[in-house]
């Protein structure tokens, strides 16, 4: 009996040791982001390339409907500022809603968080990005990531005429260290000509006393959404907020841990529209999407990720982009949870 008990105990210890060793090995395997390479990104991209067939390119803004659904790109800026690229990394697309996080940073830097969020909420939402939500009830936008809140945010940036837009553009150029970035005039004109829903939000907020200016302020919002960049630029933006507003090359001119925390918390709460809750569960990283097909991702203290694929899911998020991010997160255990 003692012999059997001893054998049973020894067997149990061996199994426990084996499982423990495998757990450690698995943890090391998933956590070792130093092994990340362009080949890794390429493998993930190829695995998910076909998702474009299940999505749809945004066409409610006519110019966006001209994007090639097959285009796809994947970029990472690692902890040391090293850039890894694969796919159509030179393909330009418009920021759209991703510009909202830049405008929010500028508005809060100028006006202070309390003054900005006195006029809107920190809330998430189960409603689409262009929903009027509670503008007709409380009169305030739910958050700065939905269109109403973003239009208000841009209107809070100081300056006459297109000065607020130029501040957003200059900040994008600074963060990406890419002075050639500009906005697409054709996309801007297309957004302005068809943006009646956004115009309705603008005038509702003006009626509620949140906005005092004229449609120049709305034009600035349309222009910021029309800024063109690449997946690599998005990875640099993700890196910037992941590292307390320090640029990928170490430039710390705008270093501000509090602003970075605010932006990342809003990205996590509402950055993927009404899909944000499920996205937080599956990916678990601050992210911001745009209907141009891009998603920027911040891995706090570690890296920035940028993806591009213009075929969108029903929420307005890049379908292949989401799956590329999800695979990378799982492979390297990047979730903050």
């Amino acid at each position: 009996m003692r012999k059997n008990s001893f054998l049973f105990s020894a067997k149990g210890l061996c199994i426990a040791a084996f499982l423990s060793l495998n757990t450690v090995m698995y943890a090391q395997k998933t956590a070792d982001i130093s092994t990340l390479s362009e080949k890794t990104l390429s493998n993930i991209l190829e695995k998910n390339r076909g998702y474009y067939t299940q999505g749809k390119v945004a066409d409610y803004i006519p110019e966006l409907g001209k994007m090639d659904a097959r285009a796809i790109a994947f970029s990472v800026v690692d902890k040391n500022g090293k850039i890894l690229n694969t796919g159509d990394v030179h393909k330009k697309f418009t920021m759209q809603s991703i510009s909202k996080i830049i405008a929010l940073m500028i508005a809060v830097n100028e006006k202070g968080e309390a003054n900005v969020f006195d006029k809107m909420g920190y809330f998430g939402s189960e409603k689409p990005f262009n929903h009027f939500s509670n503008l007709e009830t409380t009169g305030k936008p739910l958050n700065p990531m939905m269109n109403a809140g973003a239009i208000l945010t841009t209107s809070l940036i100081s300056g006459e005429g297109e000065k607020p837009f130029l501040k957003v553009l200059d900040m994008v150029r600074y963060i990406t260290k890419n002075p050639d970035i500009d906005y697409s005039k054709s996309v801007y004109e297309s957004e302005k000509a068809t943006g009646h829903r956004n115009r309705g939000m603008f005038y509702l907020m003006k009626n509620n006393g949140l906005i005092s200016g004229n449609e120049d302020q709305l034009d600035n919002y349309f222009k910021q959404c029309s800024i063109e960049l690449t997946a690599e630029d998005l990875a640099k933006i993700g890196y910037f907020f992941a590292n307390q507003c320090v640029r990928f090359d170490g430039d710390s001119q705008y270093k501000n841990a509090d602003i970075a925390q605010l932006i990342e918390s809003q990205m996590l709460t509402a950055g993927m529209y009404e899909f944000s809750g499920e996205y937080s569960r599956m990916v678990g990283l601050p992210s911001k999407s745009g209907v141009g097909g891009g998603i920027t991702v911040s891995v706090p203290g570690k890296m920035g990720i940028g993806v591009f694929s213009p075929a969108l899911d029903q929420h307005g998020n890049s379908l292949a982009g989401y799956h590329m991010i999800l695979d990378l997160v799982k492979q390297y255990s990047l979730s903050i949870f």
Side-chain angles (χ1 to χ4, degrees), residues 149-220:
I151 291 167
L152 178 55
T153 299
T154 299
S155 77
L156 293 174
I157 299 173
S158 61
E160 298 297 320
E162 68 170 4
K163 181 71 176 188
F165 158 69
L166 293 175
K167 288 182 179 180
V168 175
L169 178 61
D170 286 343
M171 185 59 71
V172 173
R173 287 171 172 171
Y174 164 78
I175 293 172
T176 60
K177 204 176 180 181
N178 185 352
D180 296 327
I181 286 178
D182 208 339
Y183 77 106
S184 167
K185 292 176 177 58
S186 61
V187 172
Y188 159 65
E189 292 292 346
S190 188
E191 294 209 30
K192 183 176 180 178
T194 58
H196 306 305
R197 191 175 183 87
N198 287 330
R199 200 164 279 111
M201 294 176 192
F202 177 87
Y203 280 106
L204 259 179
M205 289 186 286
K206 186 175 174 69
N207 183 67
N208 293 337
L210 294 176
I211 291 176
S212 58
N214 55 37
E215 276 199 34
D216 282 352
Q217 294 177 324
L218 183 60
D219 288 347
N220 285 325

Side-chain angles (χ1 to χ4, degrees), residues 92-157:
K92 291 183 179 180
F93 52 93
T94 52
M95 290 186 81
Q96 299 299 325
S97 286
I98 300 170
S99 66
K100 295 171 182 177
I101 59 177
I102 308 298
L104 180 60
M105 172 191 172
I106 296 169
V108 171
N109 273 334
E110 289 186 353
K111 299 293 198 301
E113 183 177 345
N115 286 328
V116 171
F117 283 89
D118 179 57
K119 298 174 177 64
M120 66 185 81
Y122 292 91
F123 308 108
S125 174
E126 83 286 6
K127 303 297 185 184
F129 62 93
N130 61 353
H131 198 272
F132 279 72
S133 294
N134 57 342
L135 285 185
E136 292 183 338
T137 53
T138 68
K140 295 181 180 181
L142 285 173
N143 60 61
M145 298 296 104
M146 295 177 74
N147 284 12
I151 291 167
L152 178 55
T153 299
T154 299
S155 77
L156 293 174
I157 299 173

